[in-house]
Amino acid sequence: QSALTQPPSASGSPGQSVTISCTGTSIDFGGYDYVAWYQQYPGKPPKLMIYEVNKRPSGVPDRFSGSKSGITASLTVSGLQAEDEGDYYCSSYAGGSNLDFGTGTKVTVL
Amino acid sequence: EVELVDSGGGLVQPGGSLRLSCVASGFDFNIYWKSWLRQAPGKGLEWVATIKHDAREKYYVDSVKGRFTISRDYAENSMYLEMSSVRVEDTAVYYCARVSSVTTTGAALYFDLWGRGTLVTVSS
């Protein structure tokens, strides 16, 4: 398994938008829309925020949106709030029974 | 309350063994595929193993094949991870998780419920 590449950090002021990228290979993203995004607070388990590229589980605010183009997926958080500060990980199907995760991005609300 | 409670972590010497447990409450865990994932200190997430709801299919990341065994107990609504021949690089917080979607090849795609995690430290 190989990790998907994410920027180490991203930041924005309250009310602004922040976009996190997740870059893989054709193995990860080619032909599949199996991309997810997880939010994780320090010392807590991850929480599923986006699945199948752009779908939100029940209870996730519509400020969170996902997209994919080629071998790069993106998570956009609009109308940043203090509670959005945390680590974000992408994941993608990697063929066979494998699942790859991203390197993680720390989002800071200024 | 719907939750997963994972436990069993601790300090183990290289080459030793450990058994992690994950007990579900508030829902029927038996109808779901289930997985273990881990996160080394200060690092990202890594999928470790997945078991089909009827236990007929099990999948592992290459680095733990032959050393770790995933299982489930129908009566106890629970899941386990038997870890043997552990290595220093197995040191991590281990999470059990409920799988919400799986491919036809057995890949767990999304995890919609997670345990709080249990820390496994491999050190002499």
Side-chain angles (χ1 to χ4, degrees):
Chain A
Q1 280 71 31
S2 59
L4 306 171
T5 302
Q6 298 180 232
S9 62
S11 61
S13 299
Q16 290 186 332
S17 295
V18 65
T19 297
I20 305 166
S21 62
C22 171
T23 302
T25 67
S26 58
I27 295 175
D28 300 296
F29 292 138
Y32 308 115
D33 285 337
Y34 298 145
V35 179
W37 290 90
Y38 296 86
Q39 176 192 64
Q40 186 178 33
Y41 296 132
K44 300 295 185 181
K47 175 186 176 183
L48 181 64
M49 304 300 284
I50 295 287
Y51 67 99
E52 281 183 32
V53 177
N54 55 15
K55 296 181 180 178
R56 286 185 307 276
S58 175
V60 173
D62 59 6
R63 302 184 291 102
F64 291 85
S65 62
S67 63
K68 190 190 83 166
S69 177
I71 60 171
T72 299
S74 299
L75 173 72
T76 298
V77 185
S78 306
L80 265 178
Q81 298 182 5
E83 66 204 51
D84 300 331
E85 188 163 290
D87 295 326
Y88 291 81
Y89 293 93
C90 62
S91 70
S92 178
Y93 176 53
S97 62
N98 301 306
L99 184 75
D100 282 339
F101 279 91
T103 50
T105 298
K106 181 177 180 59
V107 170
T108 301
V109 181
L110 302 172
Chain B
E1 181 183 1
V2 172
E3 66 175 350
L4 296 173
V5 178
D6 34 29
S7 62
L11 176 63
V12 59
Q13 292 188 337
S17 300
L18 206 60
R19 187 195 198 211
L20 306 184
S21 301
C22 174
V23 180
S25 60
F27 70 101
D28 187 357
F29 202 22
N30 294 312
I31 65 174
Y32 290 91
W33 288 61
K34 321 169 214 325
S35 290
W36 286 96
L37 301 98
R38 65 186 178 183
Q39 186 170 32
K43 301 297 183 181
L45 298 165
E46 181 182 33
W47 165 75
V48 175
T50 295
I51 186 169
K52 190 178 178 182
H53 53 80
D54 59 6
R56 292 185 177 183
E57 296 175 32
K58 302 177 183 181
Y59 302 93
Y60 302 91
V61 68
D62 286 346
S63 60
V64 309
K65 283 179 181 175
R67 300 189 300 120
F68 291 9
T69 301
I70 189 171
S71 62
R72 64 104 168 101
D73 186 317
Y74 186 91
E76 297 296 325
N77 209 30
S78 60
M79 172 175 70
Y80 305 96
L81 186 69
E82 297 273 2
M83 305 169 62
S84 63
S85 302
V86 296
R87 304 167 181 167
V88 171
E89 54 265 34
D90 293 323
T91 294
V93 174
Y94 284 73
Y95 296 100
C96 64
R98 185 174 72 182
V99 178
S100 59
S101 184
V102 63
T103 68
T104 55
T105 55
L109 295 174
Y110 315 120
F111 310 97
D112 65 348
L113 183 66
W114 296 64
R116 296 182 182 179
T118 185
L119 176 62
V120 173
T121 303
V122 183
S123 175
S124 55

